[in-house]
Amino acid sequence: MTANETPLTGPPPAEVVLRDAPLVRVIAQVQFPLVASVEKRDFMAPFQEAVRAEYPVLRPEQNRSIVFGQQGMTDIRENTLWRFHDAGGAWRVTLAPDFLALETSLYTSRDDFLDRLKRVLDALVAFVNPKMIDRLGVRYIDRVTGDNLRDLTQLVRPEISGILSTSLASYAYHSISEAVFVLPDNAGQLTARWGLVPARGTVDPAAVDAIDEPSWLLDIDAFQAETRELDVDATVQLARGFAERIYSVFRWVVTDTFLRRYGGQP
């Protein structure tokens, strides 16, 4: 994309396949009004059977949240997260009383990810049956490390490299920027975060693992917070639009050198 083009409008650019893509996690999440019965094993069991062929490993987790009011802490709430994994541990489906999430560290294509999302949403409708959804979000996280980190100013546009393209770069320990955009035609919002993270550091422990070396992260999250009926096909189509818009922003951020460095042919 040229400097004068905006990645927030128009069709997405043609995909460039990156043989060694630095994409570390992709997440789609649907939030819905509370379905308290999800806490019960007997209620959840038919959903498990529907997804077990693809995600045979079930590892429930207890989640604790603290509720604050005007008088300080008012309540501690616990609920069960049902975590379904594939055999290799690269794909995970999480079912909670108020959300469903699909995530992977082994992303291969947009179509594959959205096909998987449709299948788990079909199971959600069939066996949990939330009538409405409150929010849909799609998130892509890339991580640059090693020699590529040292060459970062060649890999991303100057507006993004920021302080790391100045004489202060060698002293930088942690530097994160964030921008929130309103998508045209009331399509939702897009949040982009990028910057340097130190060794054993992370900006989001739930989504970005800490590693033993410094890295540069590009974290793009497109979402729509709007209560509406849960229509699987319409939800997947909206998720596709978000994925395409995120890719447009990604391509705006990175240079052709980035694409070649990670095995692409721009």
Side-chain angles (χ1 to χ4, degrees):
M1 286 188 172
T2 68
N4 293 326
E5 289 180 303
T6 170
L8 299 181
T9 61
E15 287 190 81
V16 174
V17 177
L18 302 183
R19 185 182 63 251
D20 305 310
L23 192 60
V24 293
R25 192 162 303 274
V26 179
I27 306 168
Q29 186 190 76
V30 174
Q31 296 180 7
F32 47 81
L34 186 73
V35 180
S37 295
V38 169
E39 293 275 4
K40 302 174 183 176
R41 288 177 181 264
D42 290 346
F43 181 86
M44 181 278 304
F47 176 89
Q48 180 188 17
E49 288 304 304
V51 303
R52 194 157 61 92
E54 287 187 277
Y55 310 100
V57 180
L58 172 58
R59 302 195 187 282
E61 295 180 11
Q62 292 300 312
N63 182 54
R64 175 177 292 185
S65 59
I66 300 174
V67 180
F68 289 92
Q70 293 183 347
Q71 306 303 318
M73 187 181 74
T74 60
D75 192 15
I76 298 177
R77 298 177 183 174
E78 293 188 357
N79 66 309
T80 301
L81 303 180
W82 304 103
R83 306 277 201 187
F84 304 89
H85 301 256
D86 72 338
W91 286 85
R92 183 171 76 178
V93 174
T94 301
L95 177 63
D98 58 354
F99 75 85
L100 175 80
L102 171 69
E103 58 187 293
T104 184
S105 59
L106 194 64
Y107 184 88
T108 57
S109 73
R110 190 181 301 155
D111 285 344
D112 174 62
F113 185 81
L114 294 171
D115 286 346
R116 287 173 177 264
L117 178 61
K118 183 180 186 308
R119 290 196 289 274
V120 296
L121 286 175
D122 283 338
L124 178 72
V125 169
F127 301 107
V128 179
N129 196 24
K131 301 297 185 182
M132 314 293 290
I133 64 172
D134 294 325
R135 186 184 188 276
L136 170 68
V138 177
R139 182 178 179 189
Y140 284 65
I141 305 170
D142 290 274
R143 170 176 251 159
V144 174
T145 58
D147 291 341
N148 291 330
L149 177 59
R150 286 187 282 275
D151 296 338
L152 185 71
T153 55
Q154 303 172 38
L155 305 182
V156 302
R157 62 194 302 146
E159 300 94 326
I160 297 299
S161 58
I163 198 72
L164 300 181
S165 63
T166 73
S167 59
L168 291 174
S170 60
Y171 302 95
Y173 176 74
H174 178 96
S175 175
I176 295 292
S177 299
E178 178 177 290
V180 180
F181 304 96
V182 176
L183 296 175
D185 302 321
N186 296 315
Q189 295 185 22
L190 184 145
T191 300
R193 305 174 191 87
W194 63 92
L196 181 69
V197 176
R200 295 174 294 282
T202 180
V203 295
D204 182 353
V208 183
D209 295 334
I211 60 174
D212 292 332
E213 60 177 318
S215 60
W216 185 87
L217 296 175
L218 175 62
D219 180 355
I220 309 175
D221 179 9
F223 61 93
Q224 186 178 81
E226 179 181 297
T227 301
R228 60 188 183 279
E229 286 189 31
L230 174 52
D231 178 297
V232 170
D233 290 337
T235 300
V236 173
Q237 188 60 32
L238 182 58
R240 179 177 295 278
F242 285 158
E244 291 174 348
R245 192 54 57 204
I246 288 170
Y247 186 69
S248 296
V249 174
F250 167 77
R251 288 291 302 277
W252 182 87
V253 167
V254 305
T255 65
D256 285 353
T257 301
F258 181 107
L259 300 177
R260 294 190 187 96
R261 184 71 61 89
Y262 286 101
Q265 296 295 326

